[in-house]
Every structure is written in C-alpha cells, then in structure tokens.
C-alpha cells in the first residue's frame, strides 16, 4: 500500500462518564497519528496532508467499555 497523502481523520470517542469535558477528549491523539505516519500508512500528518481533523463524542459507554474509533477518509489533494 502507498501511504495516504490526502486524508481527513475523525476520532469518535465513547466514554463511560456522562459529563466529560470536551477538551478532555483531546488526550493521546497526537501519538496515534504520529504512529500511523511512522508505520508508513500516512505520508505525513501535517495540515497539508490532513486538512480536516475532528473529534466527536459518540455517546455514553458502559463502565469498562470506553473506546475511541478512528475514521480516516482519503481525500483529493
């Protein structure tokens, strides 16, 4: 596979706390994108290649079931 050179990335967070602050959802996402770049799946994670980045609250999860789903969509540069 060739690395993606134009893409959008959305983090969808499901959390077991009903009243979590939105800015608390930002924790830990930088390392994930950096890892995808280091693995060769993404050409680069800068704004030239990833012009759209978003974080969504997916809803309340059961205790012990918190998770983050990452959606990566290729886009034309």
């Amino acid at each position: 596979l060739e690395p993606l050179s134009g893409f959008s990335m959305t983090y969808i967070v499901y959390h077991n706390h009903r009243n979590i602050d939105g800015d608390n959802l930002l924790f830990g996402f930088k390392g994930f994108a950096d890892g995808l770049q280091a693995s060769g799946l993404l050409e680069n994670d800068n704004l030239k290649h990833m012009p759209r980045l978003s974080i969504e609250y997916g809803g309340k999860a059961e205790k012990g079931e918190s998770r983050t789903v990452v959606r990566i969509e290729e886009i034309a540069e």
Side-chain angles (χ1 to χ4, degrees), residues 1-73:
L1 292 173
E2 293 293 318
L4 290 177
S5 61
F7 58 94
S8 67
M9 187 177 294
T10 304
Y11 295 97
I12 306 164
V13 180
Y14 299 84
H15 203 281
N16 67 337
H17 289 122
R18 192 171 300 183
N19 293 322
I20 189 167
D21 292 342
D23 60 345
N24 288 343
L25 301 179
L26 299 172
F27 176 75
F29 294 150
K30 179 177 176 18
F32 182 81
D34 288 348
L36 291 178
Q37 180 180 331
S39 72
L41 293 173
L42 305 177
E43 185 173 322
N44 199 301
D45 65 349
N46 66 27
L47 294 176
K48 175 185 174 192
H49 298 280
M50 182 176 56
R52 284 179 269 168
L53 171 65
S54 61
I55 301 168
E56 299 176 9
Y57 178 60
K60 187 169 181 338
E62 296 297 320
K63 186 172 183 162
E65 298 293 324
S66 295
R67 65 195 179 283
T68 300
V69 175
V70 181
R71 183 175 56 226
I72 300 171
E73 297 181 48

